[in-house]
Amino acid sequence: WSRVLMFRALRRHTSLCHRRLSSIADSARGPLHVQSLLAHAGCEIDESTGALTPPIHLSSTFQRDADNEYRRGFVYARAQNPTRDLLERSLARLEAGSDAVAFASGMAAVSATLQALCKPGDRVLIPDDAYHGVRHLISNVYEKWGLRVQQVDMSAPEAVESALQQGAALVWLETPSNPMLKVTDVASISALCAARGVPCVVDATWCTPALLRPLEHGASLVVHSSTKYLGGHSDLTGGVVIGGEAAADEVRRVREVQQLAGAVASPFDCWLLLRGLRSLAARMPLHCSNALRVAAFLRDHPAVSAVHYPGLPEHPQHALAAAQLPNGYGGMLSFQCEGGREAAVAVAASTRLFVRATSLGMTATLLNVHRAWAWAWMWALDVLSIGWHAHGHVCVWAWSTGMNMDHLLAP
């Protein structure tokens, strides 16, 4: 037994030295590339076993010390959990932030952000084609609470500047927007917000940190529905809010709302999300290349009247997208059918490969058609996704990342 104990002690010492040397080496080389961060997300070598894959800590409560303190840092799962803590550290690094708060869903993250940063009577600016879940949350819940909202074309900085002159407590961005794929100049809008002391929050679900890190462009906070691309397999639900040092107080307030209200991500979902992150750098290029090919195919199809995808040269913000998204334009696109609602429904009914289901960002092929929830012109719009969803009388097609597109795009 003495030899076993000596071996375990030596192994722990060796592991600790290795981690310290690796840390020193990483510091000397500078920040790791986002692909390296993704590949090693959550892979902190366990000192006692040498395990590379992190364990799942399912405990809902944690032992107090003899003097009734919690020096190990964990009290109760609504406040902290080791698996969630590891996920939050990993996500903060991925977005070049300093802190992250992991939620049970993307909408829980949105709601906590609104609660933390706004109060009754405040005014919020959102995109004029914002994700319908955000618009419905504000109109059905927070407008009754006294929150005022104005929809703005976020692809036009001058429109945002004009709206900011009337005062705002928060500016909410989506880029590309859902569902019209407008591209927002994050740096320009963030600068306008900073000049007025207004937090700028960017929903970057469609881009992921593999394509865009909004904090590097001046945004205050980044929000993701981690159910989508970050998880990548449609086997978890989650959301996250991430901020840098400059937004430390905002992140603290978001975490306070979460801890009091309890919309925390489960340990198992956190573990699955860490697993999904490690393949994101390999998945996103396929999403992007497939989407570009589909967009080009649809653009030339006689039954399609318009295609909205920032990777196409004719997209109104293509030059901005090329500069802001140098690693790819994303896996989402929308298109308008000749024939309106009936044509959109017919497309959904006639497909052989696609499964009619709602989500985006996974490997399977999904399609979804909804009844129009907003503008009449949405009836003619299909949203095509390399793992995506759609709105209105909209088809949402989720193409498999590993799919050979040749036979699908044949005339």
Side-chain angles (χ1 to χ4, degrees):
W1 279 109
S2 61
R3 292 182 178 179
V4 172
L5 293 174
M6 287 176 61
F7 175 76
R8 289 179 176 173
L10 178 62
R11 185 171 59 184
R12 285 195 298 269
H13 177 72
T14 302
S15 176
L16 181 60
C17 290
H18 174 75
R19 292 176 64 183
R20 287 176 177 172
L21 288 172
S22 296
S23 178
I24 293 171
D26 290 342
S27 299
R29 298 186 190 102
L32 291 176
H33 191 279
V34 66
Q35 291 185 354
S36 297
L37 293 173
L38 285 166
H40 296 276
C43 293
E44 298 180 359
I45 298 174
D46 186 89
E47 293 183 12
S48 61
T49 65
L52 300 183
T53 301
I56 305 173
H57 293 275
L58 297 174
S59 182
S60 64
T61 191
F62 302 86
Q63 184 187 40
R64 293 178 184 266
D65 297 326
D67 59 0
N68 214 38
E69 297 297 325
Y70 285 99
R71 291 184 178 84
R72 285 166 285 191
F74 300 100
V75 179
Y76 185 65
R78 178 161 50 83
Q80 305 100 1
N81 173 273
T83 307
R84 190 166 80 243
D85 184 66
L86 176 60
L87 172 64
E88 290 173 345
R89 295 199 309 272
S90 300
L91 289 169
R93 291 190 70 194
L94 287 173
E95 284 286 4
S98 59
D99 200 3
V101 188
F103 287 84
S105 71
M107 289 308 299
V110 173
S111 184
T113 301
L114 292 172
Q115 287 178 295
L117 304 186
C118 303
K119 62 183 184 299
D122 279 347
R123 185 164 167 270
V124 175
L125 306 183
I126 67 171
D128 57 358
D129 63 335
Y131 169 55
H132 75 96
V134 172
R135 293 189 299 104
H136 287 173
L137 176 67
I138 292 174
S139 62
N140 294 348
V141 177
Y142 288 106
E143 284 187 347
K144 297 176 183 177
W145 184 57
L147 197 66
R148 296 175 297 148
V149 62
Q150 179 180 345
Q151 297 185 26
V152 181
D153 181 359
M154 296 295 179
S155 68
E158 62 277 8
V160 180
E161 184 173 24
S162 176
L164 280 169
Q165 291 174 358
Q166 304 171 45
L170 179 70
V171 173
W172 188 275
L173 307 182
E174 296 175 6
T175 188
S177 66
N178 180 357
M180 295 305 294
L181 279 293
K182 295 180 182 178
V183 179
T184 297
D185 187 336
V186 177
S188 294
I189 304 302
S190 297
L192 291 173
C193 292
R196 292 163 176 79
V198 178
C200 179
V201 182
V202 179
D203 182 341
T205 297
W206 281 18
C207 283
T208 82
L211 303 181
L212 176 68
R213 302 208 286 183
L215 297 184
E216 295 182 333
H217 295 262
S220 306
L221 299 174
V222 183
V223 174
H224 290 279
S225 172
S226 49
T227 308
K228 310 304 191 300
Y229 286 111
L230 298 186
H233 298 80
S234 282
D235 53 9
L236 66 93
T237 57
V240 62
V241 178
I242 305 166
E245 292 289 350
D249 184 62
E250 286 84 351
V251 176
R252 178 193 61 78
R253 287 149 59 190
V254 170
R255 188 180 297 280
E256 182 180 43
V257 170
Q258 183 202 50
Q259 291 181 344
L260 293 173
V264 298
S266 75
F268 187 49
D269 280 348
C270 290
W271 187 89
L272 287 173
L273 182 51
L274 284 167
R275 182 207 60 181
L277 288 173
R278 293 194 283 272
S279 66
L280 180 62
R283 289 186 279 114
M284 283 308 296
L286 286 171
H287 284 296
C288 295
S289 62
N290 282 354
L292 184 58
R293 291 189 65 189
V294 172
F297 170 81
L298 290 171
R299 176 190 57 194
D300 300 329
H301 199 287
V304 175
S305 59
V307 179
H308 309 282
Y309 184 66
L312 295 176
E314 56 267 33
H315 187 280
Q317 292 93 40
H318 175 70
L320 171 61
Q324 189 167 270
L325 304 172
N327 296 320
Y329 300 101
M332 302 292 295
L333 64 92
S334 62
F335 66 97
Q336 291 168 264
C337 295
E338 297 284 359
R341 175 187 182 276
E342 291 75 15
V345 173
V347 169
S350 62
T351 58
R352 293 179 298 165
L353 182 63
F354 308 126
V355 179
R356 288 180 291 274
T358 298
S359 194
L360 62 98
M362 66 180 297
T363 58
T365 301
L366 305 181
L367 178 147
N368 198 10
V369 179
H370 292 283
R371 294 185 61 81
W373 44 258
W375 313 285
W377 53 263
M378 288 289 291
W379 284 4
L381 180 69
D382 287 350
V383 174
L384 217 163
S385 157
I386 312 295
W388 40 60
H389 62 179
H391 313 291
H393 286 297
V394 172
C395 296
V396 182
W397 299 13
W399 296 75
S400 169
T401 56
M403 185 180 298
N404 184 321
M405 305 297 290
D406 294 335
H407 69 291
L408 294 176
L409 302 184

